[in-house]
Amino acid sequence: MEKPLVVSVSQVNRRISHMLKNDAALSCVWVRGEVFNFTCHYKSGHIYFTLSDENGESSIKCVMFSNNASRLEFTPEDGMAVTVKGRVDVYERGGIYQLYAEELNAEGKGVQYLEFEQLKQKLLSEGLFSRKRELPKNPASIALVTAKGGAALQDMLSVFERRYPLVKLYLISAAVQGELAPVSISKGIAKACETKAELIILGRGGGSSEDLSAFNTEIVVRAVYNSEIPTICAVGHETDFTLADFAADLRAPTPSAAAEIAVPDIADIKFYLSTLKQGFKSKLKANHERKQFQFERVSEIKYKVKAVFEKKQLNFIKTAELIHSLSPTAIMLKGYSLVYKETQLIKTKTQLNPGDKIIIKMNDGEMTGTIDN
């Protein structure tokens, strides 16, 4: 058995390129289609776009170098119908065959673009783009409707793990590209509603207009609008807009941005709680110091009141002693007596006459008598 011939990847690509260059039909061909994913490289001046059939079933990548692009009398736009003259060749480094455009003629808006605009106006007139519900600030659970194992899912999981690992996540796997994608996405949104999560994120990574076409279908737009749960739509890159974005409660430029918007940063929460705790401590300390000051003021008043009371008490005792020393009783203790005629205190002898009855009060009792002379 002969040993098989083994060639390198570059040899295969070079062989295909050689075959295409020798095909007269592809060395100069006119192709009609609609422009999508138009990009102009700001440094080189080269332009890149995808040319798609009217039904969107097939597409081919195109490049027009700056020497030809500089002669264009118009700027190509997504959705524009054009005819392109060029040659088909292989970009050997990437193994990608593409149309190298030399001339570009505009024919107006393409069929896909017109269908897109008609559907957009229909849904807009029905009010499917006007409802914008408030999103939960700190959702305890979120349902993710996206492709299982896709880059969009990994990006969102990474953000959730970093910002808010406490959130509960429900993964609803759905096809986000191809013929089955519209039905798969709409069913995925319905399943997400059954989880009773507080928020839904509908997401997928970037791609061509054809890749994102499922999110421009009526069935997906209505599924987003009919969702019982607030929904964030995060499809493609920042510059990509789909009809599902308009129907969602909020449009995020990327899946990662949707995750950033959906949950708070736990570091901010910890900082807030720390600040709150410190504030409580400061208030408690200030309140304690105020109460301590008030207690000290009351204590000072107490001591002052006590001192005043003791002084008044001393004065009272002195006054009482003075009054007592001047009282008849105190005088009687010194050996004196008091003479009464009935209840009248006798101070002079002129108050008495012979025969008057008198009472003599002494310290240890009293006696009665009669005035003789």
Side-chain angles (χ1 to χ4, degrees):
M1 184 177 179
E2 295 184 3
K3 186 176 180 180
L5 176 65
V6 179
V7 297
S8 66
V9 174
S10 60
Q11 288 176 311
V12 173
N13 287 342
R14 194 173 300 115
R15 180 65 180 270
I16 296 173
S17 175
H18 181 73
M19 292 172 61
L20 290 174
K21 287 177 180 177
N22 290 324
D23 188 334
L26 297 177
S27 62
C28 183
V29 61
W30 284 90
V31 184
R32 175 182 286 110
E34 296 181 21
V35 174
F36 289 99
N37 305 319
F38 176 81
T39 303
C40 179
H41 195 276
Y42 71 95
K43 287 186 176 180
S44 66
H46 306 329
I47 63 174
Y48 304 87
F49 58 94
T50 299
L51 200 62
S52 174
D53 282 342
E54 293 180 352
N55 54 18
E57 293 182 355
S58 186
S59 62
I60 183 173
K61 292 185 179 299
C62 303
V63 57
M64 177 179 273
F65 295 126
S66 59
N67 59 330
N68 292 317
S70 62
R71 294 196 297 267
L72 288 176
E73 296 180 355
F74 68 98
T75 301
E77 298 177 355
D78 285 357
M80 180 179 288
V82 297
T83 54
V84 182
K85 176 188 175 183
R87 59 183 174 83
V88 179
D89 203 346
V90 172
Y91 175 55
E92 293 185 18
R93 184 176 178 181
I96 302 172
Y97 86 91
Q98 53 192 1
L99 179 61
Y100 290 83
E102 299 172 358
E103 294 183 26
L104 195 63
N105 298 322
E107 296 185 352
K109 294 298 184 182
V111 174
Q112 290 188 64
Y113 178 81
L114 294 176
E115 290 177 350
F116 173 86
E117 285 296 320
Q118 288 174 358
L119 179 58
K120 180 180 178 181
Q121 293 302 319
K122 174 187 174 183
L123 300 175
L124 178 63
S125 64
E126 293 182 25
L128 269 65
F129 301 156
S130 60
R131 185 193 63 186
K132 304 299 174 187
R133 292 170 292 190
E134 185 177 356
L135 303 181
K137 293 183 178 180
N138 299 302
S141 57
I142 300 175
L144 308 177
V145 181
T146 187
K148 185 178 181 180
L153 175 61
Q154 297 306 316
D155 290 344
M156 289 189 287
L157 292 179
S158 177
V159 173
F160 288 130
E161 179 64 26
R162 171 174 55 83
R163 284 179 63 85
Y164 197 65
L166 303 178
V167 66
K168 183 177 182 180
L169 299 174
Y170 297 97
L171 173 58
I172 311 298
S173 181
V176 293
Q177 184 175 333
E179 295 182 2
L180 302 178
V183 174
S184 180
I185 295 170
S186 61
K187 288 183 177 180
I189 294 174
K191 289 181 181 179
C193 291
E194 293 176 0
T195 66
K196 303 301 180 182
E198 296 180 35
L199 182 66
I200 294 175
I201 296 179
L202 173 62
R204 70 146 288 159
S208 66
S209 299
E210 292 84 357
D211 296 338
L212 306 181
S213 60
F215 297 89
N216 287 321
T217 58
E218 185 171 355
I219 186 174
V220 170
V221 174
R222 292 193 181 278
V224 172
Y225 179 79
N226 291 329
S227 171
E228 300 172 356
I229 300 172
T231 303
I232 299 177
C233 189
V235 177
H237 299 300
E238 292 188 18
T239 57
D240 296 321
F241 279 85
T242 67
L243 296 181
D245 292 324
F246 300 131
D249 296 287
L250 182 69
R251 183 249 178 194
T254 63
S256 297
E260 294 274 355
I261 294 170
V263 295
D265 192 337
I266 196 167
D268 293 338
I269 295 177
K270 289 180 178 179
F271 177 76
Y272 170 75
L273 292 177
S274 176
T275 304
L276 200 63
K277 180 180 179 181
Q278 188 61 40
F280 283 142
K281 283 185 175 181
S282 298
K283 288 183 178 179
L284 287 174
K285 182 180 179 181
N287 186 56
H288 173 74
E289 291 176 350
R290 184 172 63 255
K291 294 295 185 182
Q292 182 69 26
F293 176 74
Q294 291 175 349
F295 174 77
E296 292 174 356
R297 289 290 302 275
V298 170
S299 298
E300 290 178 3
I301 293 173
K302 176 182 176 182
Y303 294 138
K304 289 180 179 179
V305 169
K306 182 179 180 182
V308 171
F309 175 77
E310 291 177 348
K311 183 177 180 180
K312 295 291 184 182
Q313 187 179 40
L314 180 61
N315 291 338
F316 174 78
I317 293 173
K318 290 181 178 180
T319 303
E321 290 177 349
L322 177 61
I323 294 173
H324 178 69
S325 66
L326 298 175
S327 68
T329 303
I331 295 174
M332 290 167 63
L333 288 174
K334 295 179 181 180
Y336 293 94
S337 300
L338 297 176
V339 179
Y340 291 88
K341 179 181 178 181
E342 295 181 352
T343 59
Q344 183 182 15
L345 177 63
I346 302 304
K347 297 180 180 180
T348 64
K349 64 180 182 178
T350 57
Q351 293 177 263
L352 295 174
N353 297 308
D356 289 341
K357 301 291 187 181
I358 60 172
I359 299 173
I360 302 172
K361 291 186 176 183
M362 294 166 288
N363 179 48
D364 57 352
E366 61 181 37
M367 297 176 61
T368 59
T370 304
I371 297 300
D372 294 332
N373 54 64

